[in-house]
Amino acid sequence: MQEGKISKRRRMYEALMKAAMWISVACTCALVAFLILYVLVKGLPHISWSFLSGKPSYLSGNIGILPDILNTVYIVLAALLVVLPLGVGAAIYLTEYAGNKQVVGVIEYAAETLSGIPSIIYGLVGMLFFCQFLNMKTSLLAGALTLVIMNLPTVMRTTQESLKTVPWSYREGAFGLGAGKWRMIRTVVLPGCVDGVITGCILSVGRILGESAALLFTAGFAHALHGIVNGLSSSGATLTVALYVYAKEQGEFEVAFAIAAILMVLTLVINLSAVWVGRVFEKRRRI
Amino acid sequence: MSDIVTVENMCLWYGEHQALKNITIKIPQKSITAFIGPSGCGKSTFLKSLNRMNDLIQGVKITGDVKYNGKNIYDPSVDVNELRREIGMVFQKPNPFPMSIYDNIAYGPRTHGIRNKAKLDEIVEQSLKDAAIWEEVKDRLKKNALGLSGGQQQRICIARALAVKPKVLLMDEPTSALDPISTSKIEELTVKLKEEYTIIIVTHNMQQAVRISDQTAFFLLGELVEYGNTETLFSTPKDQRTEDYITGRFG
Ligand SMILES: Nc1ncnc2c1ncn2[C@@H]1O[C@H](COP(=O)(O)OP(=O)(O)OP(=O)(O)O)[C@@H](O)[C@H]1O
Ligand SMILES: [Mg+2]
């Protein structure tokens, strides 16, 4: 008798918990699906070839986002070009060379903290330091450098983590054959941490694409069409900033949704490629 | 027979902990010397101090003389990379690099500046033959070395060490992670290699020491208790502690 009661109560409890979990899963999925569908439905119809390849003109009333696309590409390239060598170099130094483990610990902790700071603070600092102190004015370059500071911890930490997965025995093997430290690092350690570097890159690109606050202060909102050199030295809006400008300043919600749809697709592509890179390297490691 | 490695009054500390006490030993060339002793007695530590692999560990302090061909290897003028080329090492756990078999073997020669493809091919083939694994891998040199069995991997590591043409080969329990068949292959190989190389091998397996070595050194708690001809040491040990250990009466 007693036993039957307990198991009945337990079964009810299990069922209840299961239902609760199902509801949370359903809510999450529904929210995500709604968001994606809403943006796509409102945005996709406004995307056309002339929209993607044109530039905005007040005279003709035409709106095109080519300058914003290019600005995004420039800023991503410029930021990666600086952040990769810095981040990977710092990671190598910290894991392979630095002798004082306590200092390394402090730096790692600082980096972790740094990556949690709200991006608008980076924007403020970037504006004061790059735009004013270094006299770069409001420019894509100033924006890119601000993004470098923002993403440096991420690149450094992901690289470091994957450096740590390279077994000590490989290093020992290389040293045992008479390899110097740098040769050991270049031939045995770095190939083993490519996945970390790529992951760091992808995460950074994602973050750069999504960034608005830090760029509003530093890179500006212009929509002029430039080549990469002129582009970097002048003010320009990335896609995300353009979205903000079109929606907030000009009330062009259709344009904003179109850009949002593009950004959403890009984000999806980036996340998928991160997963794909992870898988490829996982496989390669297992051979 | 001349001595290739001579050590005099050598002590080693890991921080505060003294791991080796006053070691004095002379190792003749082109022979096999076995180091035996209970776990933690300092065999690996001593082996690693012969090609300065201890440099990689922080807080190691060494006093006394360690000479290779009459030259103190801890002298500041010694090029450590060159030293490790001449005194190669095979580790307890097979540790081939995650690259092709060919690249594994060519790693050392490339490190020391050999770029010529024909020359590398020749070295790779010769080293694999010397390590008695050529027949097993000659058709898959481009395959990843991690795909081989443990015993094969260990022979790849031996071949990799031979490829830089060392004079001395340090082996730290090279067969302890292997099955009996791979073990006997590596033992045979070791005996063959002593024609050209000086081999120093750490082993936990006393039969192995008896089977392959010419001299045996017995370590205990950081001291070198007894050192001499293998047959003599095992049949008529001079020290009571050696006798206790080799007859298995040891704690
Ligand atoms: N990196 C290290 N730091 C501090 N102490 C160490 C280190 N490596 C070894 N030791 C200590 O030095 C002593 C000798 O160790 P070693 O590894 O040389 O012993 P071993 O004879 O090779 O033992 P085993 O047969 O288990 O391999 C041990 O007491 C060990 O704890
Ligand atoms: Mg050992």
Side-chain angles (χ1 to χ4, degrees), chain B residues 115-135:
Chain B
R115 289 275 174 272
N116 182 303
K117 176 86 171 67
K119 185 105 212 296
L120 282 175
D121 287 350
E122 187 194 316
I123 293 176
V124 169
E125 180 171 344
Q126 193 54 46
S127 309
L128 288 168
K129 279 181 177 160
D130 287 348
I133 191 169
W134 172 250
E135 287 304 321

Side-chain angles (χ1 to χ4, degrees), chain B residues 49-167:
Chain B
S49 64
L50 299 181
N51 71 343
R52 292 186 54 177
M53 289 298 279
N54 281 328
D55 289 12
L56 307 176
I57 303 167
Q58 280 197 338
V60 172
K61 202 182 93 204
I62 295 175
T63 62
D65 275 348
V66 182
K67 285 189 179 143
Y68 165 68
N69 274 337
K71 183 154 173 47
N72 189 343
I73 64 167
Y74 285 91
D75 193 273
S77 68
V78 168
D79 175 354
V80 182
N81 298 335
E82 188 54 29
L83 175 78
R84 292 189 189 136
R85 192 188 69 70
E86 297 215 7
I87 307 183
M89 187 149 202
V90 175
F91 299 85
Q92 178 166 2
K93 230 178 111 236
N95 61 345
F97 301 130
M99 36 177 107
S100 73
I101 294 171
Y102 185 97
D103 288 338
N104 261 283
I105 311 300
Y107 188 90
R110 281 178 178 146
T111 298
H112 296 284
I114 298 177
R115 289 275 174 272
N116 182 303
K117 176 86 171 67
K119 185 105 212 296
L120 282 175
D121 287 350
E122 187 194 316
I123 293 176
V124 169
E125 180 171 344
Q126 193 54 46
S127 309
L128 288 168
K129 279 181 177 160
D130 287 348
I133 191 169
W134 172 250
E135 287 304 321
E136 285 158 74
V137 300
K138 65 179 178 201
D139 300 321
R140 42 172 169 160
L141 293 178
K142 294 288 166 217
K143 292 266 165 57
N144 196 309
L146 298 186
L148 298 171
S149 76
Q152 289 173 324
Q153 287 187 13
Q154 193 62 302
R155 275 177 288 150
I156 290 290
C157 291
I158 294 175
R160 186 176 70 180
L162 297 181
V164 293
K165 307 219 158 45
K167 298 283 186 300

Side-chain angles (χ1 to χ4, degrees), chain B residues 14 17 19 38-45 57 173 204:
Chain B
Y14 287 115
H17 172 68
S39 190
C41 67
K43 306 179 295 290
S44 301
T45 302
I57 303 167
E173 303 187 41
H204 261 134

